[in-house]
Amino acid sequence: MTTQEAPAYPISGRMFERAARVLPGGVGSSARAVRAGWAPYPPFVASAQGSHLTDVDGHTYIDYLLGLGPMLLGHRNAEVTAAVIKAVTERGTVFGLPHELEAVAAEKVCDAVPGVEMVRFANSGSEAVGTAVRLARAATSRPLILRFEGHYHGWMDTVYWSNHPKLELAGPDDAPVPVAAGAGMAPGVGDSLVISQWNDVAALERVMAEQGNRIAGIITEPMMLNTGCIKPVPGYLERMRELATQHGAVLIFDEVITGFRLARGGAQQRFGITPDLTTMAKGIAGGFPVAAIGGKRALMEMCGDGRYSHSGTYNSNVMAVAAVSATMDILARPGTYEHLDRLGARLLEGFSAAAARHGVAHEVQGIGPVGQLWFTDAPIRSYRDAVRHARHDRFAFWWRQMMDRGVMFHPSQDENLFVSTAHTDADIDRTLDAADEAMAAVAAVGPV
Ligand SMILES: Cc1ncc(COP(=O)(O)O)c(C=O)c1O
């Protein structure tokens, strides 16, 4: 199929029409919506296995979307599935009481992640972040949270600001203002946020010097993965750690994506920087819907002694902790991260080589099994760089070309490509063959 023809997804089209009558936008979450780039409608999934996904129209793709991150072990990992079925069959699902598997899973998470001495499970990354932010305020009795433009921390009122603001609303580069990500936020929440550009040491030092004694917590993705992929500049996270300690603010690493992916112990292990609190989700449970918040014992114990109320009917349900436990065992096996790193590097280096061969201006960024190809002729180090320099039109064209050649990833350059433990060298070979053809098509359509 070429881009001029109508997409060959007639069955998906019919399913979309039906879905749109009862599901707003025809989908269950904004990232799957037509306006997120899945035009004219998203392909509907028939099934997925390992590194491959098949749509209802019969196309099979090598899958780098991976459910937007959770499928770190590939689709339908047999061991995780078996562990969940066994636990549910033998025990049940939800008790409103503790059960042994919960502590087993918690021990394994504490063992894996350097900054996690105690942990509580939750059901989504948004919930885990909501808990972390409130805990930071509870622990410090301070009002403000510092968050960064271009990061996404879920949809809770307290943080769903300035993730992708229009620059005309977002204030000057050196003094960004909070911009709500949508209508309906509780009044005054914006006043509880301090917004800064990420990767800017001087800006961070300025904010902390001016408002450090009122800042309860600093929340950051340790690598920006909600505006494509942007790596931290050398020394930035180290300085953030120092400033948080110096000013008595709680440093929260939102490792919802990086956790268990950049290393078994997440970005904090890979970068050697230990936060006070960590949020985790995608990657913790082999694709089952589980999240967690963990951190220093002194902070987490507030959830236990009544100073902070952390609740949730479905927290630590049997399916969740059985999946976490099995996933932790798999990730602890020798060679897991060598495999993920090697294939991730092959993919990104291969994309870069294809772009260079065809004279297409670009930058690739990534670590281990996650990254992105930027179509840009200027370096991308912050959200505002991405707005000003990234060529979203070119990315959309490249995406279509790759989809047409059986390679699946998100149509927006603001998302990422993910590699799983189930991907193989043969998958990467096929992907890079497709990339060479797709990049030739990109180069042919216009000035580069
Ligand atoms: C860094 C980060 N934090 C939090 C969230 C929210 O997680 P969830 O979608 O599970 O609520 C996401 C989701 O993409 C994320 O990428």
Side-chain angles (χ1 to χ4, degrees):
M1 189 179 75
T2 70
T3 48
Q4 281 75 41
E5 296 163 7
Y9 305 114
I11 303 173
S12 291
R14 287 199 291 279
M15 287 188 177
F16 183 68
E17 261 177 47
R18 176 183 176 182
R21 282 184 222 123
V22 283
L23 291 160
V27 293
S29 172
S30 301
R32 303 168 212 167
V34 173
R35 66 187 161 74
W38 294 105
Y41 40 78
F44 275 52
V45 178
S47 65
Q49 177 67 54
S51 58
H52 285 71
L53 181 147
T54 303
D55 69 23
V56 291
D57 290 286
H59 309 105
T60 294
Y61 307 88
I62 303 170
D63 184 13
Y64 298 97
L65 180 64
L66 289 181
L68 290 166
M71 311 314 302
L72 178 61
L73 305 177
H75 296 280
R76 280 197 272 172
N77 178 279
E79 287 175 69
V80 179
T81 307
V84 171
I85 291 172
K86 181 174 183 322
V88 170
T89 310
E90 290 179 359
R91 293 167 191 261
T93 55
V94 174
F95 311 121
L97 284 169
H99 56 104
E100 190 187 6
L101 285 184
E102 184 180 6
V104 171
E107 282 166 6
K108 292 178 185 178
V109 171
C110 292
D111 179 60
V113 187
V116 174
E117 294 171 353
M118 299 187 92
V119 67
R120 277 279 181 96
F121 294 106
N123 307 288
S124 72
S126 296
E127 277 178 55
V129 168
T131 301
V133 164
R134 181 134 47 93
L135 198 47
R137 286 208 180 90
T140 58
S141 303
R142 294 177 181 179
L144 302 178
I145 298 292
L146 169 57
R147 62 147 294 155
F148 300 94
E149 262 182 7
H151 291 201
Y152 174 63
H153 300 296
W155 52 264
M156 297 263 170
D157 278 21
T158 43
V159 286
Y160 199 19
W161 294 70
S162 298
N163 56 317
H164 288 158
K166 289 197 170 75
L167 289 194
E168 55 274 26
L169 302 177
D173 286 7
D174 58 358
V177 295
V179 180
M185 302 291 185
V189 181
D191 297 340
S192 71
L193 292 170
V194 180
I195 308 293
S196 181
Q197 287 206 65
W198 197 65
N199 254 346
D200 183 339
V201 174
L204 187 61
E205 289 175 340
R206 198 170 53 246
V207 164
M208 293 308 284
E210 286 167 6
Q211 306 193 69
N213 63 353
R214 299 185 68 230
I215 291 180
I218 306 175
I219 185 163
T220 186
E221 294 183 59
M223 175 159 78
M224 190 180 326
L225 286 167
N226 279 288
T227 298
C229 177
I230 303 179
K231 294 203 278 187
V233 296
Y236 181 65
L237 293 176
E238 287 81 351
R239 187 73 183 120
M240 193 184 291
R241 175 65 278 183
E242 278 171 14
L243 288 167
T245 306
Q246 187 185 322
H247 291 273
V250 175
L251 180 60
I252 306 165
F253 273 11
D254 183 353
E255 296 232 41
V256 162
I257 301 184
T258 52
F260 310 102
R261 194 180 314 270
L262 264 53
R264 180 167 161 260
Q268 55 196 268
Q269 180 186 349
R270 187 119 188 181
F271 297 148
I273 300 162
T274 306
D276 302 309
L277 289 176
T278 303
T279 52
M280 300 153 271
K282 306 180 183 196
I284 199 173
F288 282 84
V290 190
I293 166 163
K296 288 195 170 140
R297 185 170 295 277
L299 288 168
M300 293 303 296
E301 271 178 345
M302 293 179 69
C303 301
D305 63 17
R307 282 176 291 166
Y308 179 95
S309 173
H310 173 250
S311 315
T313 303
Y314 297 105
N315 293 353
S316 297
N317 67 72
V318 171
M319 294 77 79
V321 290
V324 170
S325 191
T327 301
M328 291 301 116
D329 291 348
I330 295 168
L331 293 178
R333 286 182 193 147
T336 302
Y337 289 91
E338 288 76 2
H339 178 81
L340 289 171
D341 279 12
R342 195 174 60 75
L343 293 197
R346 276 200 67 203
L347 182 74
L348 290 181
E349 284 163 17
F351 281 179
S352 185
R357 253 191 321 275
H358 295 284
V360 175
H362 71 285
E363 177 179 35
V364 292
Q365 292 199 52
I367 296 181
V370 57
Q372 185 53 288
L373 166 70
W374 290 106
F375 289 97
T376 175
D377 47 19
I380 309 274
R381 300 289 171 267
S382 68
Y383 168 69
R384 295 193 184 207
D385 286 346
V387 173
R388 288 172 180 145
H389 306 303
R391 289 285 305 272
H392 292 279
D393 53 342
R394 180 153 295 162
F395 187 88
F397 185 83
W398 147 259
W399 168 77
R400 182 77 263 163
Q401 295 294 320
M402 291 296 275
M403 285 284 284
D404 290 352
R405 290 169 175 80
V407 180
M408 162 79 72
F409 49 89
H410 197 281
S412 168
Q413 199 167 202
D414 286 333
E415 301 285 345
N416 308 113
L417 280 83
F418 296 104
V419 172
S420 76
T421 58
H423 281 77
T424 62
D425 277 298
D427 291 332
I428 304 293
D429 290 343
R430 271 195 49 212
T431 304
L432 296 183
D433 287 347
D436 192 58
E437 290 177 15
M439 206 55 86
V442 171
V445 291
V448 284

